[in-house]
């Protein structure tokens, strides 16, 4: 059963204009789906995804000669949920290996589409609850930070975090024992989760760990400036 409070923001990527129109008309009939845009060109979809928050992507497996739907999804920087659509059922295993929510074989019924969107809605509701519980636990312990990245929620130890680097709606987390982690969260929201006695915002784009500071160097002013 779907969660009535969850509204799924989605796009559809389908090179066949007739199929794209039929899919978009069906999605508009589902009350918890907010169809934000449709694309026949996957590269236009890439640009849109880089600057907009999307929960769910309907992606055709058959896209262009040089790019199929699975490659399209694997190239995304931050992956929303994905429902693949194809004429070929033989690629279903590969699609689910790419963390697909569902795999629709053309032609599919409205009921089958509804089943796929219900799966996505349940998944999003469950993720939201996990994040809420994790944040509540983090507030109590103040030892860990729970961060969503792709389809996973990572638990990071606060004492292993060096600093946070903000990029608009994304944050790159630098730790002492791993490569940087990219999370779709603003620096402002993240700042509210961190204990103020352990982290300080030193710049519009940076929050640093006070425990990791060894020295503070002042930059001398140029002559004639005060």
């Amino acid at each position: 059963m779907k969660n009535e409070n969850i509204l799924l923001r989605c796009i559809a990527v389908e090179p066949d204009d007739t199929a794209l129109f039929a899919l978009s008309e069906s999605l508009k009939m589902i009350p918890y789906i907010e169809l934000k845009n449709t694309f026949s060109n996957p590269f236009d979809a890439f640009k849109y995804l880089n600057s907009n928050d999307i929960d769910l992507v309907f992606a055709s497996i058959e896209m262009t000669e040089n790019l199929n739907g699975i490659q399209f999804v694997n190239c995304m920087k931050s992956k929303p949920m994905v429902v693949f659509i194809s004429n070929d059922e033989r690629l279903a295993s590969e699609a689910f290996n790419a963390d697909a929510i569902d795999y629709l074989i053309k032609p599919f019924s409205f009921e089958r589409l509804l089943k796929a969107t219900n799966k996505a809605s349940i998944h999003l509701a469950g993720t939201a609850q996990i994040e809420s519980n994790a944040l509540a636990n983090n507030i109590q312990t103040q030892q860990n930070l729970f961060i969503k990245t792709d389809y996973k929620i990572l638990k990071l130890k606060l004492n292993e975090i060096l600093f946070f680097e903000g990029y608009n709606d994304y944050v790159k987390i630098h730790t002492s024992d791993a490569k940087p982690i990219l999370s779709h969260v603003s620096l402002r929201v993240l700042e509210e989760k961190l204990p103020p006695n352990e982290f300080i915002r030193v710049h519009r784009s940076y929050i640093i760990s006070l425990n990791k500071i060894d020295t503070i160097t002042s930059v001398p002013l140029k002559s004639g400036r005060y």
Side-chain angles (χ1 to χ4, degrees):
M1 175 178 283
K2 68 180 178 63
N3 188 314
E4 297 290 347
N5 296 320
I6 298 294
L7 184 66
L8 289 170
R9 300 162 297 183
C10 79
I11 66 169
V13 189
E14 166 63 70
D16 184 325
D17 289 337
T18 301
L20 182 60
F21 176 79
L23 175 60
S24 63
E25 290 301 300
S26 294
L27 290 172
K28 290 174 183 177
M29 296 172 61
I30 302 175
Y32 55 91
I33 289 290
E34 183 181 7
L35 183 61
K36 304 295 289 187
N37 216 326
T38 61
F39 301 91
S40 57
N41 186 324
F43 299 103
D44 291 337
F46 267 131
K47 293 178 183 178
Y48 185 86
L49 287 168
N50 284 337
S51 57
N52 292 273
D53 291 332
I54 294 297
D55 303 307
L56 178 62
V57 174
F58 288 87
S60 173
I61 292 289
E62 298 80 15
M63 286 190 173
T64 70
E65 182 179 348
N66 299 318
L67 183 73
N68 66 35
I70 296 173
Q71 293 168 329
F72 168 80
V73 169
N74 287 335
C75 289
M76 292 180 185
K77 293 181 179 178
S78 180
K79 295 182 181 179
M81 295 177 290
V82 178
V83 173
F84 285 113
I85 301 171
S86 178
N87 295 308
D88 190 349
E89 63 182 14
R90 293 174 297 178
L91 294 174
S93 177
E94 186 179 350
F96 283 114
N97 285 337
D99 295 325
I101 289 291
D102 210 338
Y103 190 89
L104 302 179
I105 303 295
K106 299 176 182 177
F108 52 87
S109 65
F110 179 77
E111 288 75 16
R112 183 65 184 87
L113 176 64
L114 191 61
K115 182 178 180 180
T117 58
N118 276 338
K119 280 186 182 181
S121 181
I122 292 170
H123 180 87
L124 186 62
T127 299
Q129 186 60 51
I130 290 172
E131 287 183 304
S132 177
N133 292 342
L135 177 59
N137 180 66
N138 185 49
I139 290 173
Q140 294 175 4
T141 64
Q142 288 293 293
Q143 295 177 352
N144 304 305
L145 178 68
F146 293 86
I147 287 291
K148 181 179 179 183
T149 175
D150 293 336
Y151 287 105
K152 302 183 291 294
I153 296 177
L154 300 179
K155 182 175 76 171
L156 303 178
K157 294 181 180 180
L158 289 179
N159 61 9
E160 294 179 352
I161 296 173
L162 301 176
F163 64 95
F164 302 89
E165 188 174 2
Y167 295 91
N168 295 325
D169 293 330
Y170 290 85
V171 167
K172 185 180 288 187
I173 305 165
H174 299 263
T175 66
S176 57
D177 63 349
K179 65 180 182 180
I181 299 164
L182 192 65
S183 179
H184 192 188
V185 61
S186 70
L187 205 63
R188 178 186 59 79
V189 170
L190 187 59
E191 185 178 15
E192 295 173 355
K193 297 181 181 182
L194 296 169
N197 61 321
E198 295 184 38
F199 291 88
I200 183 171
R201 189 164 186 170
V202 296
H203 183 272
R204 183 180 62 182
S205 301
Y206 291 92
I207 295 175
I208 65 173
S209 169
L210 290 170
N211 294 325
K212 302 300 181 182
I213 297 176
D214 293 325
T215 61
I216 298 176
T217 303
S218 62
V219 179
L221 294 175
K222 293 182 180 180
S223 177
R225 297 186 64 183
Y226 300 92

